[in-house]
């Protein structure tokens, strides 16, 4: 057995280790590059800490399955989220997580999502009308409006309707959170507890405004509580497990957690998917033909689902999962002491030739067993795996299929002449920047 210090890794500076080599917004690219250079298991040095980065799909699954007993999210995440007053299902650990997870899952089960389908169609139709009137200049921002509306309606029965209303204040508040969360996690010292930078003060104002809005939603839910829950907040309010009722602070943390997680990752995934479809009329046409034959997103739509899987393989919106060993563990013969940070790189495995032939090519047919060469589906895990896989996967896929089907049915997607490829920026999730698409109503042709 070898130690973490025996692993290969980039040479660092005295005292600060590899910290000067890391740019938070490009962290996924740096870790991918080091995986190419040092292999699927290497170490990174930070002030006072060793980090192990893992990109082998089998080791990734082993670590993700070993939760919450052997590994947890980095303890810094829980601390930072607690500072923000939003320590909910995403960041909680141990027994607190088990309890919340059990109570949250009914809000995302198949029966609830099936009942939500008419509302999803209504919100998708709002997006179609908006894009019919005016081609979107910022596709990601428009899709964020959509996911905010869907998530708020499903989880708290709150019809924000940012698609049709002129105000997008709640969206701007939410978009402050992930970048600052990412920056705080990359900062060795919690400076914000002592000195507030302009961004920190902006975050405090945004959180106060969101708390005001969501507290009003919670109050309405308390006043009109049904016998059986119809959404996430009602499920928590009706919870009877011998531990007392949830406080407003706990309910706010959960509401904010679901709203943040539901809007950011899904909107980014849809934006990347539309980009991958741009300039591929044959793929768009195959989607049109399939949804004409299988119109309901509640049913299997094999080709559309293959398109989504291929897009998320190429660009998973959460490429890195930060973990921490709770107890001593051994990974591939390496002793991992309790407290060691372990970064699971889920992006790198999906872009390797030994897992997928021509790994950088967009080829949905590989998911239908129609392409030659290597195809290892379990090497692509955009929703994570193990006990803490994303509980919102079902909702996210319904949104992805609804929007993609609607767009292909009613619009043509192309790349503007002389446009540059979008850049990807890591802010806990991966955000496309500079993405330009021509989305033209098909009736205009």
């Amino acid at each position: 057995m070898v130690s973490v210090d025996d692993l290969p890794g980039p040479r660092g500076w005295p005292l600060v280790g590899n910290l000067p080599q890391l740019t938070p917004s490009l962290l996924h690219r740096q870790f991918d590059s080091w995986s190419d250079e040092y292999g699927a298991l290497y170490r990174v040095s930070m002030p006072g800490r060793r980090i192990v980065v893992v990109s082998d799909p089998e080791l990734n699954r082993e670590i993700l399955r070993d939760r919450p007993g052997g590994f947890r999210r980095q303890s810094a995440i829980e601390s930072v989220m607690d500072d923000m007053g939003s320590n909910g299902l995403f960041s909680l650990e141990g027994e607190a997580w088990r309890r919340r997870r059990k109570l949250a899952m009914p809000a995302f089960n198949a029966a609830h999502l099936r009942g939500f389908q008419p509302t999803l169609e209504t919100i998708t139709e709002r997006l179609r009308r908006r894009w019919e009137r005016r081609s979107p200049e910022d596709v990601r921002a428009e899709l964020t409006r959509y996911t905010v509306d869907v998530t708020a309606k499903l989880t708290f029965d709150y019809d924000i309707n940012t698609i049709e209303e002129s105000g997008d204040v709640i969206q701007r508040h939410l978009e402050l959170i992930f970048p600052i969360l990412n920056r705080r996690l990359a900062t060795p010292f919690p400076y914000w507890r002592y000195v507030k930078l302009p961004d920190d003060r902006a975050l405090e104002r945004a959180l106060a405004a969101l708390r005001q809005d969501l507290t009003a939603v919670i109050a309405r839910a308390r006043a009109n509580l049904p016998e059986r829950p119809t959404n996430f907040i009602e499920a928590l309010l009706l919870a009877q497990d011998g531990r007392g009722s949830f406080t407003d602070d706990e309910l706010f943390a959960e509401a904010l957690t679901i709203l943040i997680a539901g809007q950011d990752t899904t909107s980014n995934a849809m934006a990347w998917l539309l980009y991958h479809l741009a300039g591929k009329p044959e793929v768009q046409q195959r989607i049109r033909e399939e949804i004409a034959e299988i119109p309901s997103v509640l049913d299997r739509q094999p080709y559309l689902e293959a398109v989504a899987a291929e897009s998320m393989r190429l660009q998973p919106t959460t490429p890195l999962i930060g973990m921490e060993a709770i107890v001593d563990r051994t990974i591939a013969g390496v002793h991992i002491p309790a407290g060691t940070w372990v970064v699971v790189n889920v992006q790198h495995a999906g872009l390797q030739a030994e897992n997928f032939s021509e790994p950088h090519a967009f080829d949905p047919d590989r998911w239908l067993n129609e392409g030659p060469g290597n195809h290892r589906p379990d090497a692509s895990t955009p929703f994570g795996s193990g006990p803490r896989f994303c509980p919102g996967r079902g909702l996210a896929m319904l949104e992805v299929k609804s929007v993609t089907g609607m767009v292909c049915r009613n619009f043509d997607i192309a790349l503007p002449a002389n446009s540059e490829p979008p850049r990807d920026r890591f802010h806990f999730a991966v955000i496309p920047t500079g993405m330009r698409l021509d989305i033209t109503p098909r009736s205009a042709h």
Side-chain angles (χ1 to χ4, degrees):
M1 186 180 299
V2 299
S3 72
V4 171
D5 288 337
D6 295 323
L7 288 173
R11 187 174 181 178
W13 295 73
L15 299 179
V16 295
N18 300 115
L19 185 62
Q21 298 159 271
L22 298 174
T23 302
S25 63
L26 297 174
L27 200 61
H28 61 309
R29 294 296 180 193
Q30 183 63 75
F31 281 2
D32 271 1
S33 174
W34 283 339
S35 290
D36 291 338
E37 185 173 356
Y38 299 108
L41 193 65
Y42 64 91
R43 52 127 187 99
V44 174
S45 300
M46 299 286 282
R49 185 178 294 277
R50 288 286 189 271
I51 300 173
V52 176
V53 182
V54 185
S55 58
D56 176 83
E58 292 184 4
L59 295 179
N60 288 351
R61 283 196 304 277
E62 178 184 335
I63 294 165
L64 295 176
R65 281 198 302 263
D66 194 9
R67 295 189 292 175
F71 292 91
R72 55 165 292 164
R73 292 191 187 276
Q74 292 167 357
S75 54
I77 294 176
E78 192 168 5
S79 175
V80 168
M81 296 295 280
D82 198 46
D83 285 345
M84 294 164 58
S86 54
N87 196 10
L89 184 64
F90 171 79
S91 53
L92 285 172
E93 293 293 337
E95 191 57 34
W97 168 78
R98 293 179 193 274
R99 180 189 181 211
R100 301 281 182 93
R101 174 85 171 197
K102 180 180 178 181
L103 297 172
M105 288 310 292
F108 299 103
N109 66 25
H112 194 186
L113 293 178
R114 186 171 292 276
F116 184 68
Q117 171 59 14
T119 302
L120 184 63
E121 291 179 352
T122 297
I123 298 173
T124 306
E125 177 62 14
R126 291 174 183 171
L127 185 67
R128 183 197 66 79
R129 291 197 300 264
R130 180 180 176 91
W131 287 7
E132 288 274 8
R133 291 192 299 268
R134 183 179 63 189
S135 180
E137 294 182 7
D138 187 337
V139 171
R140 177 184 168 273
E142 297 277 304
L143 292 171
T144 301
R145 289 175 178 267
Y146 174 85
T147 55
V148 166
D149 287 359
V150 169
T151 306
K153 184 63 177 174
L154 176 69
T155 54
F156 348 116
D157 194 27
Y158 183 16
D159 191 10
I160 300 177
N161 195 7
T162 62
I163 292 175
E164 294 181 322
E165 301 296 334
S166 58
D168 60 349
V169 174
I170 194 168
Q171 179 182 345
R172 292 201 304 272
H173 290 333
L174 290 169
E175 291 204 340
L176 280 172
I177 294 173
F178 265 137
I180 295 177
L181 173 62
N182 189 51
R183 188 182 71 198
R184 288 184 175 184
L185 289 173
T187 303
F189 178 74
Y191 71 87
W192 56 90
R193 296 175 186 170
Y194 309 97
V195 177
K196 297 289 192 299
L197 301 178
D199 282 353
D200 298 306
R201 289 192 290 271
L203 176 64
E204 287 186 346
R205 291 192 295 270
L207 289 170
L210 287 167
R211 180 179 286 274
Q212 182 176 359
D213 286 345
L214 294 178
T215 298
V217 172
I218 292 167
R220 286 196 296 271
R222 285 191 188 277
N224 301 284
L225 201 57
E227 292 185 3
R228 293 187 176 182
T230 61
N231 58 61
F232 178 67
I233 290 299
E234 288 176 357
L236 294 182
L237 287 171
L238 288 167
Q240 298 292 329
D241 62 356
R243 303 193 184 191
S245 60
F246 286 95
T247 66
D248 279 359
D249 283 345
E250 290 173 321
L251 291 169
F252 168 73
E254 292 300 344
L256 184 59
T257 295
I258 298 297
L259 198 56
I260 295 168
Q263 63 91 16
D264 196 81
T265 54
T266 307
S267 60
N268 291 328
M270 290 192 292
W272 285 114
L273 192 155
L274 294 184
Y275 171 74
H276 290 133
L277 289 182
K280 299 181 178 67
E282 70 286 355
V283 178
Q284 297 174 43
Q285 182 58 30
R286 284 184 66 177
I287 293 174
R288 290 185 195 110
E289 293 169 357
E290 181 174 78
I291 62 177
E293 182 179 347
I294 312 171
S296 175
V297 295
L298 295 171
D299 296 328
R300 281 293 316 278
Q301 295 171 314
Y303 187 70
L304 178 49
E305 290 168 15
V307 167
E310 180 70 344
S311 178
M312 288 186 280
R313 177 189 71 82
L314 288 169
Q315 190 65 75
T317 58
T318 51
L320 305 174
I321 303 176
M323 310 293 293
E324 182 177 323
I326 299 173
V327 294
D328 288 6
R329 279 291 190 256
T330 300
I331 301 175
V334 179
H335 176 66
I336 308 294
T340 303
W341 283 10
V342 177
V343 175
V344 175
N345 184 342
V346 301
Q347 174 174 275
H348 191 263
L351 299 175
Q352 301 309 301
E354 62 265 28
N355 299 323
F356 299 95
S357 296
E358 298 185 49
H360 296 280
F362 179 77
D363 179 15
D365 283 330
R366 72 171 85 234
W367 297 90
L368 302 174
N369 298 319
E370 296 179 11
N374 299 334
H375 180 66
R376 187 178 176 183
D378 63 347
S380 177
T381 53
F383 293 100
S385 64
R388 294 197 66 154
F389 77 93
C390 176
R393 180 187 183 280
L395 174 61
M397 285 304 300
L398 289 185
E399 292 179 82
V400 168
K401 291 167 66 176
S402 294
V403 168
T404 307
M406 179 276 290
V407 172
C408 288
R409 185 186 302 113
N410 297 282
F411 301 88
D412 288 318
I413 316 166
L415 294 173
N418 302 319
S419 63
E420 296 288 332
R423 297 173 298 281
D424 53 355
R425 188 175 70 226
F426 184 79
H427 278 171
F428 210 81
V430 170
I431 299 172
T433 63
M435 179 181 288
R436 296 178 56 216
L437 299 176
D438 282 339
I439 300 180
T440 309
R442 301 193 71 222
S443 58
H445 298 316

